Amino acid sequence: MEYQLCPSILSADFNRLGEQIQTLERQGLKWLHIDVMDGDFVPSISFGMPVIRSIRRESNMFFDVHLMVTEPERYIQDFVACGADSITVHAEACEDLERTVERIRDAGVKAAIALKPATSVMEVSYLLQDIDMLLIMTVQPGFGGQEYIEDSTEKIRQARQMMKEEGVEIPIQVDGGIDERTLPIVLEAGASRIVAGSYVFNGDLAENVKKIGKIMERE
Ligand code: DX5
Ligand code: ZN
């Protein structure tokens, strides 16, 4: 399985966003995690299309757009147009999840499903064949800098097991509360796309990426 660190720009310094993305690219990172919040599905509001369109002009990274938005189907075309390479929607936010996934794929980008901590993996088992990635939220969606929910470890294992049984080989992404302590835990449980916000952006960005890269290589 190929491992990717996916820095979440929610924790970036927006005064220097372009510069910070360049630093990540120079460190050899391929994925950029982009958290869009609508103030309805989650309490907070982050940013939307204009920001993504701007950073797209200067970056060749893979734009992994995590929509924490009610009825995200309404915005698929917009996010593809402004540069998303992958769109993740929450199972809890879609009236017709299957149709939403289909629309994302029809729009020509990768499709992923996200699960809040309380949502069981069983609920989306029927769709595993149709998606490119499963995102298991390891905190309640909505804010950076929260603590990892310990029950998530078992959920990652369960998801891995279920995929094995169904013969599905898609990456599991984790998002929230990843730090020095929890990174080895999620890797061991079977996650391979690792979203990290504060762990990457707090302090020296380049140094943090190097340090995290070493831990990921070791595991
Ligand atoms: C939370 C977002 C996360 C967040 C992670 O709702 O989806 O991507 O930025 O932040 P940390 O890594 O600081 O927990
Ligand atoms: Zn996210």
Side-chain angles (χ1 to χ4, degrees), residues 8 10 33-35 66 68 135 137 175 195:
S8 161
L10 195 60
H33 186 79
I34 301 174
D35 286 305
H66 176 194
M68 284 163 273
L135 164 55
M137 290 302 301
D175 185 1
V195 177

Side-chain angles (χ1 to χ4, degrees), residues 4-10 30-36 47 52 55-56 59-68 79 83-89 109-114 132-135 173-175 193-196:
Q4 297 287 352
L5 173 64
C6 320
S8 161
I9 57 167
L10 195 60
K30 305 272 183 276
W31 278 48
L32 195 67
H33 186 79
I34 301 174
D35 286 305
V36 178
F47 49 77
I52 302 175
I55 58 177
R56 180 77 289 173
S59 173
N60 288 317
M61 291 178 91
F62 183 86
F63 280 11
D64 160 31
V65 177
H66 176 194
L67 296 182
M68 284 163 273
F79 283 106
D85 293 301
S86 170
I87 294 182
T88 302
V89 293
V109 298
K110 304 274 187 209
I113 294 177
D132 298 288
M133 180 172 79
L134 180 68
L135 164 55
Q173 186 176 50
V174 288
D175 185 1
R193 301 284 182 276
I194 313 297
V195 177

Side-chain angles (χ1 to χ4, degrees), residues 72-88:
E73 196 181 324
R74 298 174 289 159
Y75 300 110
I76 293 169
Q77 294 301 337
D78 293 312
F79 283 106
V80 171
C82 67
D85 293 301
S86 170
I87 294 182
T88 302

Side-chain angles (χ1 to χ4, degrees), residues 17-31:
L17 182 57
E19 201 185 298
Q20 292 197 320
I21 293 171
Q22 276 175 19
T23 303
L24 297 172
E25 282 195 88
R26 273 200 301 271
Q27 292 302 315
L29 294 185
K30 305 272 183 276
W31 278 48

Side-chain angles (χ1 to χ4, degrees), residues 141-179:
F143 302 96
Q146 303 179 73
E147 240 176 73
Y148 179 82
I149 296 174
E150 298 297 333
D151 291 350
S152 314
T153 313
E154 195 42 44
K155 194 168 167 185
I156 301 164
R157 287 207 185 97
Q158 258 175 25
R160 197 68 296 154
Q161 183 58 29
M162 188 184 293
M163 287 174 187
K164 207 168 147 194
E165 281 161 17
E166 306 221 352
V168 176
E169 270 192 57
I170 54 169
I172 296 176
Q173 186 176 50
V174 288
D175 185 1
I178 301 304
D179 59 19

Side-chain angles (χ1 to χ4, degrees), residues 122-142:
M122 297 293 282
E123 288 192 31
V124 295
S125 59
Y126 72 106
L127 277 175
L128 292 179
Q129 308 275 357
D130 302 321
I131 56 175
D132 298 288
M133 180 172 79
L134 180 68
L135 164 55
I136 295 182
M137 290 302 301
T138 43
V139 297
Q140 293 297 344

